[in-house]
Amino acid sequence: MTGPAHSFDVHGAMLPDSPVVLSVPHAGRDYPSALLAAIRVPVEALRILEDRHVDQLALAARGSETLLVQRPARAWIDLNRAEHERDPKLDDGADPTRSPAMSAKLRSGLGLVPRRIAAAGDIWAKRLSGDAVNARIMADHRPYHMALATLLAAARARFGVAVLLDIHSMPPLGAPGEAAQIVLGDRFGKSAASRFIARLEGEAEATGIPHALNTPYAGGHILDRHARPHSGIHAIQIEFDRTLYLDAAHDAPGPGFAGAAAVLRRMIAAIGDEALAGLPAIAAE
Protein backbone atom coordinates (compact mmCIF):
# COMPACT_ATOMS: atom_id res chain seq x y z
CA MET A 1 0.00 0.00 0.00
CA THR A 2 1.06 3.61 -0.45
CA GLY A 3 0.18 6.38 2.00
CA PRO A 4 -1.41 9.27 0.07
CA ALA A 5 0.68 11.90 1.82
CA HIS A 6 3.89 9.92 2.04
CA SER A 7 6.81 9.35 -0.27
CA PHE A 8 7.28 5.71 0.65
CA ASP A 9 5.47 2.44 0.05
CA VAL A 10 4.38 0.07 2.80
CA HIS A 11 4.21 -3.58 1.83
CA GLY A 12 2.42 -5.54 4.54
CA ALA A 13 0.52 -4.62 7.67
CA MET A 14 1.25 -1.72 10.00
CA LEU A 15 0.59 -4.24 12.78
CA PRO A 16 3.43 -6.54 11.72
CA ASP A 17 2.83 -10.26 11.22
CA SER A 18 6.49 -10.96 12.00
CA PRO A 19 9.06 -9.65 14.47
CA VAL A 20 11.22 -8.86 11.42
CA VAL A 21 10.71 -5.45 9.79
CA LEU A 22 12.39 -4.65 6.46
CA SER A 23 13.59 -1.26 5.22
CA VAL A 24 14.92 -0.18 1.80
CA PRO A 25 15.88 3.51 2.03
CA HIS A 26 18.24 3.95 -0.96
CA ALA A 27 16.56 2.27 -3.96
CA GLY A 28 14.26 5.16 -4.91
CA ARG A 29 14.09 5.89 -8.62
CA ASP A 30 11.74 8.88 -8.52
CA TYR A 31 13.48 12.16 -9.39
CA PRO A 32 11.23 15.10 -8.42
CA SER A 33 10.78 17.91 -10.93
CA ALA A 34 12.37 20.34 -8.47
CA LEU A 35 15.51 18.19 -8.49
CA LEU A 36 15.60 17.98 -12.29
CA ALA A 37 15.35 21.77 -12.51
CA ALA A 38 18.16 22.37 -10.02
CA ILE A 39 20.94 19.94 -10.97
CA ARG A 40 23.95 20.67 -13.17
CA VAL A 41 24.67 17.03 -14.11
CA PRO A 42 22.65 14.61 -16.26
CA VAL A 43 20.10 12.78 -14.16
CA GLU A 44 21.64 9.49 -15.31
CA ALA A 45 24.80 10.41 -13.40
CA LEU A 46 22.84 10.28 -10.14
CA ARG A 47 22.09 6.57 -10.49
CA ILE A 48 25.43 5.84 -8.85
CA LEU A 49 23.78 6.91 -5.58
CA GLU A 50 20.96 4.38 -5.96
CA ASP A 51 20.97 0.91 -4.44
CA ARG A 52 19.81 -0.10 -7.90
CA HIS A 53 16.72 -2.34 -7.81
CA VAL A 54 17.47 -3.70 -4.34
CA ASP A 55 13.82 -2.90 -3.57
CA GLN A 56 12.84 -5.55 -6.10
CA LEU A 57 15.21 -7.97 -4.40
CA ALA A 58 13.59 -7.27 -1.04
CA LEU A 59 10.10 -7.64 -2.49
CA ALA A 60 11.03 -10.98 -4.04
CA ALA A 61 12.44 -12.18 -0.71
CA ARG A 62 9.67 -10.83 1.50
CA GLY A 63 7.15 -13.21 3.03
CA SER A 64 4.70 -11.86 5.61
CA GLU A 65 7.17 -9.25 6.89
CA THR A 66 6.31 -5.58 6.60
CA LEU A 67 8.61 -3.70 4.23
CA LEU A 68 9.14 0.05 3.81
CA VAL A 69 10.52 1.31 0.48
CA GLN A 70 11.39 4.96 -0.14
CA ARG A 71 10.37 6.24 -3.60
CA PRO A 72 12.34 9.52 -4.09
CA ALA A 73 15.94 9.01 -5.14
CA ARG A 74 18.72 9.30 -2.60
CA ALA A 75 19.99 12.37 -4.48
CA TRP A 76 16.89 14.22 -3.20
CA ILE A 77 17.44 13.31 0.47
CA ASP A 78 19.33 10.52 2.21
CA LEU A 79 17.31 8.70 4.85
CA ASN A 80 20.46 7.12 6.26
CA ARG A 81 21.79 10.49 7.44
CA ALA A 82 20.62 12.34 10.53
CA GLU A 83 18.61 15.55 10.13
CA HIS A 84 21.53 17.62 11.39
CA GLU A 85 24.01 16.18 8.85
CA ARG A 86 23.52 19.15 6.55
CA ASP A 87 26.35 20.21 4.27
CA PRO A 88 27.51 23.83 4.87
CA LYS A 89 28.98 23.88 1.36
CA LEU A 90 25.51 23.34 -0.12
CA ASP A 91 22.75 24.02 2.40
CA ASP A 92 22.04 27.52 3.76
CA GLY A 93 20.27 25.89 6.71
CA ALA A 94 23.31 23.92 7.87
CA ASP A 95 24.26 24.63 11.46
CA PRO A 96 27.96 23.85 12.07
CA THR A 97 27.42 24.02 15.82
CA ARG A 98 25.31 20.86 15.60
CA SER A 99 28.06 18.93 13.78
CA PRO A 100 31.33 20.39 15.07
CA ALA A 101 33.17 17.24 13.92
CA MET A 102 31.75 16.43 10.50
CA SER A 103 31.70 12.78 9.50
CA ALA A 104 33.85 11.53 6.65
CA LYS A 105 30.71 11.02 4.57
CA LEU A 106 29.58 14.60 5.10
CA ARG A 107 33.05 15.98 4.34
CA SER A 108 33.07 14.01 1.08
CA GLY A 109 29.74 15.51 0.01
CA LEU A 110 27.42 12.69 1.05
CA GLY A 111 25.36 14.40 3.74
CA LEU A 112 21.63 14.62 4.28
CA VAL A 113 21.34 16.06 0.77
CA PRO A 114 24.23 14.72 -1.32
CA ARG A 115 26.37 17.54 -2.70
CA ARG A 116 28.68 15.77 -5.11
CA ILE A 117 29.46 12.42 -6.72
CA ALA A 118 32.93 11.21 -7.58
CA ALA A 119 32.30 10.64 -11.27
CA ALA A 120 30.64 13.99 -12.05
CA GLY A 121 31.52 16.45 -9.31
CA ASP A 122 29.01 18.89 -7.84
CA ILE A 123 25.38 17.85 -8.31
CA TRP A 124 23.57 21.16 -7.82
CA ALA A 125 23.74 24.29 -9.98
CA LYS A 126 23.53 26.55 -6.91
CA ARG A 127 23.18 26.43 -3.15
CA LEU A 128 19.96 25.16 -1.58
CA SER A 129 17.93 27.34 0.76
CA GLY A 130 17.41 26.19 4.31
CA ASP A 131 13.65 26.24 3.75
CA ALA A 132 13.94 23.93 0.73
CA VAL A 133 15.89 21.34 2.71
CA ASN A 134 13.56 21.72 5.70
CA ALA A 135 10.65 20.92 3.37
CA ARG A 136 12.36 17.69 2.27
CA ILE A 137 12.93 16.73 5.89
CA MET A 138 9.28 17.27 6.76
CA ALA A 139 7.85 15.60 3.65
CA ASP A 140 10.25 12.71 3.12
CA HIS A 141 12.79 12.07 5.88
CA ARG A 142 10.75 12.44 9.04
CA PRO A 143 7.64 10.48 7.91
CA TYR A 144 9.74 7.46 6.89
CA HIS A 145 11.49 7.34 10.23
CA MET A 146 8.24 7.83 12.11
CA ALA A 147 6.66 4.92 10.21
CA LEU A 148 9.69 2.72 10.84
CA ALA A 149 9.64 3.53 14.56
CA THR A 150 5.91 2.76 14.70
CA LEU A 151 6.41 -0.61 13.00
CA LEU A 152 9.26 -1.61 15.28
CA ALA A 153 7.33 -0.60 18.40
CA ALA A 154 4.30 -2.57 17.21
CA ALA A 155 6.41 -5.66 16.46
CA ARG A 156 8.12 -5.37 19.86
CA ALA A 157 4.74 -5.07 21.61
CA ARG A 158 3.29 -8.05 19.75
CA PHE A 159 6.22 -10.48 19.77
CA GLY A 160 8.39 -9.28 22.63
CA VAL A 161 11.22 -8.50 20.23
CA ALA A 162 11.69 -6.70 16.91
CA VAL A 163 14.51 -6.90 14.39
CA LEU A 164 15.03 -4.37 11.64
CA LEU A 165 16.87 -5.53 8.53
CA ASP A 166 17.99 -2.46 6.61
CA ILE A 167 18.69 -3.66 3.06
CA HIS A 168 21.24 -2.00 0.77
CA SER A 169 23.49 -2.82 -2.15
CA MET A 170 27.11 -1.98 -2.87
CA PRO A 171 29.52 -1.89 -5.78
CA PRO A 172 31.96 -4.80 -5.98
CA LEU A 173 34.66 -4.57 -3.32
CA GLY A 174 37.17 -6.61 -5.32
CA ALA A 175 37.59 -9.68 -7.48
CA PRO A 176 34.70 -12.20 -7.40
CA GLY A 177 35.38 -14.99 -4.95
CA GLU A 178 38.01 -12.98 -3.10
CA ALA A 179 36.27 -9.89 -1.71
CA ALA A 180 33.16 -9.95 0.47
CA GLN A 181 29.91 -9.92 -1.52
CA ILE A 182 27.64 -9.64 1.51
CA VAL A 183 28.49 -7.20 4.30
CA LEU A 184 26.60 -7.25 7.59
CA GLY A 185 26.63 -4.16 9.80
CA ASP A 186 25.72 -3.92 13.47
CA ARG A 187 27.58 -0.72 14.41
CA PHE A 188 30.38 -2.87 15.81
CA GLY A 189 28.11 -4.79 18.15
CA LYS A 190 26.02 -1.84 19.30
CA SER A 191 22.81 -2.27 17.30
CA ALA A 192 21.93 -5.97 17.64
CA ALA A 193 22.50 -8.99 19.85
CA SER A 194 25.30 -11.23 18.66
CA ARG A 195 22.93 -14.18 18.21
CA PHE A 196 21.27 -12.43 15.28
CA ILE A 197 24.59 -11.73 13.59
CA ALA A 198 25.62 -15.34 14.14
CA ARG A 199 22.49 -16.56 12.36
CA LEU A 200 23.09 -14.27 9.39
CA GLU A 201 26.74 -15.26 9.18
CA GLY A 202 25.66 -18.89 9.24
CA GLU A 203 23.30 -18.37 6.32
CA ALA A 204 25.96 -16.53 4.34
CA GLU A 205 28.46 -19.28 5.12
CA ALA A 206 26.04 -21.93 3.90
CA THR A 207 25.74 -20.23 0.51
CA GLY A 208 29.49 -20.04 0.00
CA ILE A 209 29.23 -16.32 -0.73
CA PRO A 210 32.17 -14.37 0.79
CA HIS A 211 30.95 -12.12 3.58
CA ALA A 212 32.24 -9.64 6.14
CA LEU A 213 31.08 -7.91 9.30
CA ASN A 214 31.18 -4.11 9.63
CA THR A 215 33.92 -3.69 7.01
CA PRO A 216 33.60 -1.49 5.07
CA TYR A 217 29.94 -0.85 5.97
CA ALA A 218 28.89 -0.89 9.63
CA GLY A 219 25.48 0.74 9.17
CA GLY A 220 24.47 4.37 9.49
CA HIS A 221 21.85 6.66 10.93
CA ILE A 222 18.97 4.21 10.52
CA LEU A 223 20.66 1.75 12.88
CA ASP A 224 21.77 4.49 15.27
CA ARG A 225 18.28 5.94 15.43
CA HIS A 226 16.15 2.81 15.71
CA ALA A 227 18.22 0.12 17.43
CA ARG A 228 17.55 -0.38 21.14
CA PRO A 229 18.88 -3.88 21.85
CA HIS A 230 18.42 -3.57 25.62
CA SER A 231 14.76 -2.75 25.00
CA GLY A 232 14.24 -5.61 22.56
CA ILE A 233 14.62 -3.68 19.29
CA HIS A 234 17.59 -4.80 17.20
CA ALA A 235 18.79 -3.48 13.84
CA ILE A 236 21.19 -4.87 11.23
CA GLN A 237 22.27 -3.53 7.86
CA ILE A 238 22.75 -5.98 4.98
CA GLU A 239 24.70 -4.99 1.86
CA PHE A 240 24.52 -7.12 -1.30
CA ASP A 241 27.16 -6.86 -4.03
CA ARG A 242 25.25 -5.66 -7.10
CA THR A 243 26.90 -8.29 -9.27
CA LEU A 244 24.94 -10.90 -7.30
CA TYR A 245 21.57 -9.77 -8.64
CA LEU A 246 22.03 -7.21 -11.46
CA ASP A 247 23.05 -7.59 -15.09
CA ALA A 248 26.54 -6.84 -16.37
CA ALA A 249 25.70 -3.14 -16.75
CA HIS A 250 24.44 -2.98 -13.14
CA ASP A 251 21.24 -1.47 -14.50
CA ALA A 252 18.53 -4.17 -14.37
CA PRO A 253 17.89 -7.47 -12.58
CA GLY A 254 20.20 -10.10 -14.03
CA PRO A 255 20.59 -13.88 -14.12
CA GLY A 256 21.60 -14.05 -10.46
CA PHE A 257 18.50 -12.26 -9.21
CA ALA A 258 16.49 -15.34 -8.18
CA GLY A 259 19.44 -16.86 -6.35
CA ALA A 260 20.20 -13.65 -4.46
CA ALA A 261 16.53 -13.29 -3.50
CA ALA A 262 16.59 -16.86 -2.17
CA VAL A 263 19.65 -16.03 -0.04
CA LEU A 264 17.94 -12.94 1.38
CA ARG A 265 14.78 -14.97 2.05
CA ARG A 266 16.82 -17.50 4.04
CA MET A 267 18.36 -14.68 6.04
CA ILE A 268 15.01 -13.10 6.82
CA ALA A 269 13.56 -16.46 7.86
CA ALA A 270 16.57 -17.22 10.05
CA ILE A 271 16.22 -13.90 11.87
CA GLY A 272 12.51 -14.50 12.38
CA ASP A 273 13.25 -17.94 13.80
CA GLU A 274 15.97 -16.59 16.09
CA ALA A 275 13.75 -13.72 17.27
CA LEU A 276 11.01 -16.10 18.36
CA ALA A 277 13.28 -18.76 19.84
CA GLY A 278 12.53 -19.20 23.49
CA LEU A 279 9.67 -16.71 23.55
CA PRO A 280 6.21 -17.79 24.70
CA ALA A 281 3.73 -18.49 21.93
CA ILE A 282 1.85 -15.41 20.78
CA ALA A 283 -1.86 -15.77 21.30
CA ALA A 284 -3.96 -15.54 18.15
CA GLU A 285 -5.67 -12.20 17.83
Side-chain angles (χ1 to χ4, degrees):
M1 80 182 209
T2 300
H6 295 151
S7 57
F8 56 87
D9 296 322
V10 182
H11 301 273
M14 286 302 293
L15 178 59
D17 292 326
S18 166
V20 181
V21 174
L22 308 174
S23 166
V24 178
H26 281 170
R29 294 181 291 280
D30 289 356
Y31 288 84
S33 58
L35 178 149
L36 298 177
I39 58 176
R40 57 167 294 276
V41 298
V43 68
E44 292 79 13
L46 301 181
R47 287 183 179 176
I48 194 172
L49 292 171
E50 295 178 14
D51 285 349
R52 191 75 172 162
H53 296 299
V54 83
D55 55 328
Q56 294 188 36
L57 190 72
L59 282 166
R62 171 185 168 261
S64 63
E65 300 83 13
T66 302
L67 163 66
L68 290 189
V69 178
Q70 180 74 349
R71 292 195 306 275
R74 181 184 177 188
W76 180 246
I77 193 165
D78 189 338
L79 302 183
N80 208 22
R81 300 288 181 268
E83 290 185 15
H84 68 267
E85 291 185 272
R86 298 171 67 159
D87 193 330
K89 294 183 178 180
L90 172 69
D91 177 358
D92 287 339
D95 181 357
T97 64
R98 293 201 63 190
S99 298
M102 293 197 299
S103 68
K105 292 288 189 182
L106 183 52
R107 290 196 305 272
S108 69
L110 295 176
L112 181 67
V113 176
R115 171 174 53 85
R116 71 185 315 274
I117 46 180
D122 288 345
I123 294 171
W124 306 92
K126 61 181 182 179
R127 292 180 62 86
L128 303 178
S129 73
D131 286 345
V133 177
N134 288 339
R136 298 182 198 186
I137 292 171
M138 296 302 295
D140 303 308
H141 191 280
R142 201 167 289 179
Y144 189 95
H145 283 282
M146 289 177 64
L148 196 51
T150 298
L151 285 168
L152 291 167
R156 168 66 177 81
R158 184 174 186 185
F159 297 101
V161 63
V163 186
L164 167 64
L165 295 182
D166 197 41
I167 301 167
H168 296 253
S169 72
M170 62 185 184
L173 298 177
E178 298 178 7
Q181 291 187 287
I182 295 176
V183 177
L184 308 173
D186 68 350
R187 302 300 284 164
F188 298 97
K190 296 178 182 178
S191 69
S194 60
R195 63 190 179 101
F196 294 114
I197 294 296
R199 287 297 297 266
L200 290 176
E201 288 183 314
E203 293 301 326
E205 197 72 36
T207 68
I209 298 173
H211 61 282
L213 176 62
N214 290 317
T215 303
Y217 304 109
H221 172 65
I222 288 175
L223 269 57
D224 287 340
R225 178 165 178 167
H226 295 285
R228 299 290 183 272
H230 297 298
S231 298
I233 298 178
H234 307 260
I236 300 165
Q237 180 174 287
I238 304 178
E239 297 265 4
F240 276 81
D241 184 329
R242 290 169 196 150
T243 63
L244 290 174
Y245 70 94
L246 292 179
D247 60 13
H250 292 181
D251 184 59
F257 182 88
V263 171
L264 180 55
R265 177 63 232 162
R266 286 177 55 174
M267 289 181 159
I268 294 168
I271 290 299
D273 177 70
E274 186 64 34
L276 295 176
L279 292 177
I282 304 299
E285 298 184 10

